[in-house]
Amino acid sequence: MFDRIAGFYDVMNSVMTAGLHHTWRRRAVDLARVGPGDRVLDVATGTGDLALELARRVAPGGAVIASDFAEEMLARARLKSAQAPIPVTFEWANAMALPYADGEFAAATVGFGARNFSDLDRGLSEMARVVRPGGTVVVLEITTPTRAPLSTFYRLWFDRVVPVIGRVAGDPEAYDYLPSSVKRFPGPPELAARMDRCGLDVRCILTAGGIIALHAGTKR
């Protein structure tokens, strides 16, 4: 499915978020607390927007590894990486068994990908494993607002409008999947608790009226 939608994934992200997803990614990188010379990992990188933002923060002298299991997404990311201030390595990897050493990175991030992990706890544990003590794991995700009127708008947008946009784009299955994946994903308190069980001291920030949750966990 992710290979199928790679060609219009960036456009759909901008349409669905009014372009705000770039702002949220920059906020996620702020929480990663990385700087020039750091080695960082972006998991489930998709077309690489979060990885490219990380590259801007760790240049000069840093390194960004960005992994995904969808080859077509990675191909799009490599095309965009010409904009990066340092080379970004885009490579195939399974988030359930990351092929990296313990403590290899200053930070590991995932933007709008954790809800696609086949085993969330295992994926979070793998991200924590590859980060050094004192480093940061950041999870950027859509969440479900609970207060009206935003909660009403949210249900209308994700349950009705997004699937219609998906049909127009030519892949209704993928954009039926999006709202269902958000609904079954743990809410912010539960996600924070799961990250804590992975050895992370977690800070959670809700933004965009409660539609976006950023979790930053410092490895103990």
Side-chain angles (χ1 to χ4, degrees):
M1 182 185 73
F2 288 102
D3 282 331
R4 289 201 316 269
I5 66 174
F8 51 87
Y9 181 79
D10 287 340
V11 171
M12 289 291 289
N13 278 349
S14 292
V15 168
M16 290 188 300
T17 69
L20 291 172
H21 66 102
H22 294 296
T23 299
W24 301 331
R25 292 178 205 273
R26 287 193 292 271
R27 187 76 180 277
V29 176
D30 289 342
L31 293 173
R33 298 182 295 115
V34 295
D38 281 332
R39 181 176 174 84
V40 297
L41 172 69
D42 186 42
V43 177
T45 195
T47 59
D49 283 339
L50 189 51
L52 295 177
E53 185 62 36
L54 286 166
R56 286 187 277 272
R57 304 298 181 90
V58 302
V64 179
I65 308 297
S67 66
D68 204 287
F69 64 5
E71 291 285 4
E72 289 299 320
M73 290 283 192
L74 290 169
R76 297 277 170 172
R78 292 184 186 109
L79 289 175
K80 291 161 65 173
S81 66
Q83 310 165 19
I86 58 172
V88 179
T89 301
F90 289 101
E91 59 189 22
W92 190 95
N94 181 355
M96 302 299 98
L98 293 172
Y100 311 112
D102 295 358
E104 184 173 340
F105 300 100
T109 62
V110 58
F112 307 114
R115 69 178 183 276
N116 302 316
F117 290 173
S118 59
D119 183 330
L120 177 60
D121 293 323
R122 184 172 175 181
L124 294 172
S125 179
E126 277 292 276
M127 291 179 69
R129 177 185 64 79
V130 301
V131 168
R132 68 191 184 202
T136 311
V137 173
V138 178
V139 180
L140 166 63
E141 264 301 348
I142 304 170
T143 191
T144 304
T146 58
R147 295 183 180 181
L150 189 59
S151 58
T152 303
F153 169 77
Y154 177 91
R155 286 193 299 271
L156 175 65
W157 181 253
F158 274 95
D159 292 347
R160 303 285 183 85
V161 177
V162 168
V164 170
I165 295 173
R167 286 194 288 275
V168 172
D171 203 317
E173 178 189 351
Y175 289 92
D176 283 335
Y177 167 82
L178 173 60
S180 65
S181 69
V182 173
K183 287 176 183 176
R184 66 172 178 261
F185 193 71
E190 183 183 345
L191 180 58
R194 292 187 181 207
M195 292 176 69
D196 179 79
R197 290 196 291 271
C198 296
L200 302 168
D201 294 326
V202 183
R203 173 189 180 196
C204 175
I205 297 172
L206 296 180
T207 190
I211 291 176
I212 297 297
L214 297 116
H215 288 71
T218 301
K219 186 173 179 178
R220 295 191 283 269

